[in-house]
Amino acid sequence: ILRVHGDVGTAMSYDPPYLPTRCKGYDPDQFPEGGYFIAASDGLWDNGAACGRRYRVRCISGPKRPCREATIFVEVVDFCRSNVCPATMTLSTKAFNAISRYSDAKINVEYTQ
């Protein structure tokens, strides 16, 4: 069996308000159904070409064994809001809580486009 592994990076949660975004400003219809979306770091942002990209994400490790046994699909809607992004991707609170037991953790994730 051939197993395809994605890239490995880090993820953190970010809190609302989520508008405006760097992809579609104040448009409330930009968020995917289910509320699983991310703000991409410089490495994923690709000068804005990342808007609308979808990634499969799963937690692989972190402090205090944070990972839930879940794989989620997220969509890029924004660029990381910090001057220096604290992680490869920052996930909406709902998306982050689906894969991590601790909302304030920095976790290691595997992601595939």
Side-chain angles (χ1 to χ4, degrees):
I1 294 175
L2 177 65
R3 292 192 60 129
V4 177
H5 294 285
D7 292 313
V8 173
T10 56
M12 294 181 74
S13 176
Y14 79 113
D15 297 323
Y18 297 121
L19 292 173
T21 69
R22 293 276 293 275
C23 290
K24 294 186 178 175
Y26 286 96
D27 181 358
D29 296 331
Q30 68 185 300
F31 300 107
E33 195 173 324
Y36 289 6
F37 53 89
I38 69 168
S41 67
D42 213 24
L44 293 178
W45 182 241
D46 198 12
N47 292 319
C51 288
R53 280 188 192 150
R54 291 177 46 85
Y55 290 93
R56 186 179 70 211
V57 180
R58 72 181 184 97
C59 177
I60 54 175
S61 66
K64 300 186 291 181
R65 304 175 65 111
C67 298
R68 295 185 189 275
E69 290 295 319
T71 298
I72 60 171
F73 292 87
V74 295
E75 186 174 319
V76 177
V77 299
D78 207 352
F79 182 64
C80 185
R81 296 178 176 197
S82 304
N83 283 338
V84 176
C85 195
T88 308
M89 56 181 67
T90 51
L91 284 71
S92 66
T93 304
K94 189 171 184 181
F96 193 82
N97 290 340
I99 61 171
S100 174
R101 290 182 179 86
Y102 311 111
S103 59
D104 60 347
K106 182 173 186 176
I107 61 172
N108 298 307
V109 293
E110 180 182 66
Y111 61 96
T112 310
Q113 188 174 331

